[in-house]
Amino acid sequence: MTSTMGTRERRRSEVTAALLAAAKRELARTGAAGLSVRAVARDMDMAPSALFRYISGRDELLTLLIVDAYSRLGEHVEAVERAVPRSDLRGRWRAIATSFRGWAVANPHEYALLYGSPVPEYKAPAERTNPSGTRVTNLLAALGMEDATPPPRPSIPHMPDAAELRALAVAADVPTMDGDRLAAGLLAWTALVGAVSSELFEQLGEPVARLDTLFDATVALGEWLLFGSPRDESA
Amino acid sequence: MTSTMGTRERRRSEVTAALLAAAKRELARTGAAGLSVRAVARDMDMAPSALFRYISGRDELLTLLIVDAYSRLGEHVEAVERAVPRSDLRGRWRAIATSFRGWAVANPHEYALLYGSPVPEYKAPAERTNPSGTRVTNLLAALGMEDATPPPRPSIPHMPDAAELRALAVAADVPTMDGDRLAAGLLAWTALVGAVSSELFEQLGEPVARLDTLFDATVALGEWLLFGSPRDESA
DNA sequence: TGTACATCAGTGAACGCGCGTTCACTGATGTAC
DNA sequence: TGTACATCAGTGAACGCGCGTTCACTGATGTAC
């Protein structure tokens, strides 16, 4: 009988959806640090106290927003990546990187919530944020696992030694991935985050405002880290 | 007669210093978003209204903190870099990168203020933050200018074409630097920021908590971007 | 050196504001018979 | 189908709080003669 919903049940899910929508509008307006229960209530034309029937407090509002943002980001990146032929590993990386940036630029406050400074006095509950929070990096991990060829790229000098990398692979939950490839993936990922954060948080100053070029270079760098020079493929 | 200061003048500079010190304590305690004039006054055992003799309002408090943080970061990185022999360009890069991270880890809230999400409703006045805000990147730029050898490293595939890079060099205020080197410097820089932000903002999840290894790899990557493989030097 | 006046630092009360959260309430929806 | 009671959603007033900023004030420091 879950197909027919009573008035109450239907209304409850409607209000829950409206609450999330209003919270997202508020987030886009003021950013995470300024988010307030009362402002969300105002946006919904409801009494502030009413929201406590749906959330336990301000912290849960933040958690809701984080989970939603991770989910929408994951959805977006997955969809773009899915459109690339499975065998085109390099293209899949490029799709991940560019769609990640695209979403961030379109949703700057959400991006800041996920990848910017932590909100003071708030600690996200890992058991709720983890499932959606790892979707993008999971795509990267899958890429690394599918690439069956032995590490093809010239080793970066002074790369941490194999033992440490093996320990890292185990710790990162991909114990069968070889260490070099894992390190390459993590490097590509942090470089990507750094490029997007630098762009969005406006740290590079006006001169470098048009960053498409720099971003292209970041994508190329990641591709090289993951798969080596294209020339190497024929070899 | 600037050598002798009257009671007023001396007291004024004492209080100004105490104000900055108190603001820094508050920043370390609550983070930038929660910073308040009243809390700083409380820390100084003064009436909140008294502070308005020294600052124009909350925004100036933030500006003061930003300038101070950039200055101390710059001081720290410059000091460490200065201790490396001028001819050891690779060592100078490594000194910049590791001391940058070291300062960030020791001063997480300051780092977040400079390189994390922007504070909502606050726009830093560029004319005040620029001089100190560019000290670290200036060190990098100097490094690039001193390295007289032609771009020694294997070109990263799909690197943006020369014309775009030339435009970027002009825009970035180092018109005489060749484009490849500039792109390499910017990549190394954003990768560094990404590695440090990922670590400090705890985005990589518990498993990868011990990140020394990953950071070493980031430094190695930057070195390779800037100077190529060590083998190339003999060639 | 002494006096009269001007400048300035710091106080304390007050302003209006928005915040998170609690609580007794009313009216509508659901359930048992 | 109709009635009696239970459950639940939403209201509105209230709580105590911290915030930024203004303002009239007092008492100390500096200046002119």
Side-chain angles (χ1 to χ4, degrees):
Chain A
M1 332 297 183
T2 48
S3 63
T4 57
M5 288 201 289
T7 308
R8 265 190 196 162
E9 203 177 345
R10 186 169 53 251
R11 170 114 182 106
R12 176 157 257 277
S13 70
E14 279 171 13
V15 174
T16 303
L19 172 56
L20 185 59
K24 277 150 78 171
R25 275 191 296 272
E26 274 306 302
L27 177 63
R29 234 174 36 83
T30 64
L35 190 81
S36 88
V37 176
R38 293 187 96 105
V40 173
R42 236 177 282 126
D43 183 293
M44 299 174 71
D45 276 317
M46 288 179 88
S49 48
L51 301 199
F52 285 79
R53 300 252 176 232
Y54 298 89
I55 53 169
S56 63
R58 196 191 99 112
D59 279 8
E60 194 179 352
L61 205 57
L62 274 177
T63 303
L64 241 46
L65 283 170
I66 290 175
V67 171
D68 178 70
Y70 270 134
S71 300
R72 291 193 301 142
L73 168 62
E75 202 78 55
H76 175 70
V77 174
E78 283 172 10
V80 173
E81 196 256 3
R82 208 180 299 124
V84 179
R86 296 297 79 193
S87 62
D88 183 5
L89 298 179
R90 290 165 181 272
R92 282 163 69 186
W93 152 254
R94 287 195 298 265
I96 292 169
T98 54
S99 63
F100 179 80
R101 181 208 192 198
W103 188 89
V105 169
N107 305 274
H109 281 112
E110 271 89 347
Y111 177 83
L113 179 61
L114 302 181
Y115 297 100
S117 347
V119 178
E121 318 274 6
Y122 169 77
K123 189 88 197 80
E127 72 279 9
R128 294 184 62 181
T129 59
N130 264 355
S132 50
T134 53
R135 286 170 70 169
V136 176
T137 45
N138 282 346
L139 288 180
L140 275 185
L143 220 49
M145 298 298 283
E146 279 181 48
D147 186 6
T149 59
R153 85 215 66 80
S155 218
I156 297 169
H158 303 135
M159 202 71 165
D161 68 48
E164 277 192 77
L165 282 174
R166 287 234 51 76
L168 197 59
V170 172
D173 258 334
V174 279
T176 66
M177 188 181 293
D178 78 90
D180 268 350
R181 205 183 293 281
L182 174 67
L186 285 169
L187 278 184
W189 173 246
T190 57
L192 176 60
V193 169
V196 173
S197 293
S198 296
E199 175 175 358
L200 278 186
F201 302 160
E202 289 165 13
Q203 286 154 9
L204 294 168
E206 271 307 312
V208 201
R210 272 289 15 87
L211 279 176
D212 286 338
T213 294
L214 179 56
F215 185 74
D216 291 344
T218 302
V219 176
L221 172 64
E223 185 178 336
W224 177 84
L225 281 169
L226 290 166
F227 307 109
S229 301
R231 278 92 185 146
D232 292 12
E233 293 216 312
S234 56
Chain B
M1 327 297 179
T2 49
S3 64
T4 58
M5 288 201 289
T7 307
R8 266 190 194 162
E9 203 178 344
R10 185 169 53 251
R11 170 115 182 105
R12 177 157 257 277
S13 70
E14 278 171 12
V15 174
T16 303
L19 172 56
L20 185 60
K24 277 151 77 171
R25 275 190 296 272
E26 274 305 301
L27 177 63
R29 234 175 35 84
T30 63
L35 190 81
S36 89
V37 176
R38 294 188 95 106
V40 173
R42 237 176 281 126
D43 183 292
M44 298 175 72
D45 276 318
M46 289 179 89
S49 48
L51 302 199
F52 285 79
R53 300 254 176 229
Y54 298 89
I55 53 169
S56 65
R58 197 191 99 112
D59 279 9
E60 196 179 349
L61 205 56
L62 274 176
T63 304
L64 242 45
L65 282 170
I66 290 175
V67 171
D68 177 71
Y70 270 134
S71 300
R72 289 192 302 141
L73 167 63
E75 203 77 55
H76 175 71
V77 174
E78 283 172 9
V80 173
E81 195 257 4
R82 209 180 298 125
V84 179
R86 297 296 79 193
S87 62
D88 182 5
L89 298 179
R90 290 166 182 270
R92 283 163 68 186
W93 152 254
R94 286 195 299 265
I96 292 168
T98 55
S99 63
F100 179 79
R101 181 208 192 199
W103 187 88
V105 169
N107 306 275
H109 281 112
E110 271 89 347
Y111 178 83
L113 179 61
L114 301 180
Y115 297 101
S117 346
V119 179
E121 318 274 5
Y122 169 78
K123 189 89 198 79
E127 71 279 8
R128 293 183 62 181
T129 60
N130 265 355
S132 49
T134 52
R135 286 170 70 168
V136 176
T137 44
N138 281 347
L139 289 180
L140 275 184
L143 220 49
M145 298 299 282
E146 281 181 45
D147 186 6
T149 59
R153 86 214 66 79
S155 221
I156 297 170
H158 304 135
M159 203 70 166
D161 68 48
E164 277 192 79
L165 283 174
R166 287 235 50 76
L168 198 59
V170 172
D173 258 335
V174 279
T176 66
M177 187 182 292
D178 77 272
D180 268 351
R181 205 184 294 281
L182 174 67
L186 285 170
L187 279 184
W189 173 246
T190 58
L192 176 60
V193 169
V196 172
S197 291
S198 296
E199 175 175 357
L200 277 185
F201 302 160
E202 289 165 13
Q203 285 153 9
L204 294 168
E206 271 306 312
V208 200
R210 273 285 21 82
L211 279 176
D212 286 338
T213 294
L214 179 55
F215 184 74
D216 290 343
T218 302
V219 176
L221 172 64
E223 185 178 335
W224 177 84
L225 281 169
L226 290 166
F227 307 110
S229 301
R231 277 93 185 144
D232 292 15
E233 292 216 312
S234 57

